[in-house]
Amino acid sequence: MSTPAVDYNLDVARIRKEFPILNQEINGKPLVYLDNAATTQKPQIVIDALVEYYQKYNANIHRGIHTLAEKATAAYEASREAARGFINAESVEQVIFTKGTTESVNLVASSYGDKFINEGDEVLVSGMEHHSNIVPWQMMCERKKATLKVIPVDENGVLDLEDFSKMLCEKTKLVSIVFASNTLGTINPVKEIIAKAHDVGAVVMVDGAQAAPHLHLDVKDLDVDFLGFSAHKMYGPSGVGVLYGKRELLEEMPPYMGGGEMIKDVSFSKTTFNDLPFKFEAGTPNIADVVAFKQAIEFINIIGKDKIQQHELELLNYGQDKIGKIEGVRLIGTAAQKVSVISFVVEGVHHFDLGMMLDAKGVAVRTGHHCTQPLMDQYKIEGTVRASFAVYNTIQEIDTLADGLERIVKMMK
Ligand code: PLP
């Protein structure tokens, strides 16, 4: 588990060397990977940590007293501490490992929702949510006969905060909101949203899936009640995520799943549950990926979020300007505050065709509804092409995208 003693100082060429996958040709062209909002690539230190775990200390955690079990447990818990620091949480007990953002939202919707949401209560989400921050609440509201309400989004992809304020009332029990939209890139003013929701006594969950790789996450400063995010979108392995929760809420919530690890004592007449965070971590977890997640956090910390943001903002501004000028292109999501996501449609050309033709040029972009179908309905489109940037992307890669796109659009006319 070596951490490189490197100050990358945003030397992108140096950073790219840490990502072996980037150094390859796709369809005879150098790979230009611009699908980072779906998942980022993994630096060598993350890959090494996975291999090292399986080669040297694979063992089940928490229960064993032998050396390997102790080593694996220590590495697993060291990742929890790294995740705690990453979001500035008070205690590791408030950091629960999940499979990802989706499971984090489902956990809160099931556990908190089933206990604390009642008939006639209202739950608010926004019009730009990912399906994983819609469907779990819909399911819970149906079970509990509560009402799901939607905060409107304007043409630029900005939340209507006036409408949001008007929607808040004594019936509002929970607000679940995305920090940064995966489709539009919009950064929502979550601190203000949380404060307003707290004024009416509602708790707030923030979907931090797209914020985690780009923006500072400080749960104390935000005063957020629940936060979910995924390791695979921030240079870490897939199948790992975090749910942060305020201690008093987590203490009151029933377990999400029953099984090993989440109990203190089991008998056929009564089971007592384990302390936080283990109460919410039933069964053998995804040990190797959690262990390697620490290296992803350290990778981000070594470069620094400020430098990452600065570089990605440069890419965003350059890309929006260049792509926005191509004939027939309409940008979807033009908020002033954005993470490095550019979504667009091209008049008369289907987004799938664009994606396939760009792939033939070695350029990987995402096409489709990006798990935000209600947002697509609002824009009256089926889907978009989405280019999303990470710290290893370059201006030259955006030029390759823009040149390719320009040629395709001309050819299709
Ligand atoms: N929320 C947002 C904004 C996302 O972009 C995604 C994934 O694309 C998710 C939630 C779901 O994340 P995961 O699939 O890692 O659980």
Side-chain angles (χ1 to χ4, degrees), residues 97-99 103 106-107 110-111 253-263 271 273-274 277-285:
F97 284 123
T98 62
K99 280 192 297 188
E103 193 180 33
N106 275 278
L107 194 162
S110 289
S111 171
M253 286 159 57
Y256 173 51
M257 288 200 293
E261 195 72 15
M262 50 72 71
I263 49 85
T271 290
F273 302 130
N274 208 339
F278 310 112
K279 180 172 89 172
F280 293 107
E281 292 183 3
T284 300

Side-chain angles (χ1 to χ4, degrees), residues 37-38 100-103 130 132 178 180 182 207 209-210 230 232-233:
T101 312
T102 304
E103 193 180 33
H130 188 280
S132 62
V178 71
N182 61 309
D207 168 353
Q210 297 295 337
S230 303
H232 72 97
K233 293 186 194 287

Side-chain angles (χ1 to χ4, degrees), residues 267-288:
S267 72
F268 283 114
S269 56
K270 184 167 170 60
T271 290
T272 51
F273 302 130
N274 208 339
D275 297 325
L276 293 174
F278 310 112
K279 180 172 89 172
F280 293 107
E281 292 183 3
T284 300
N286 186 355
I287 305 166

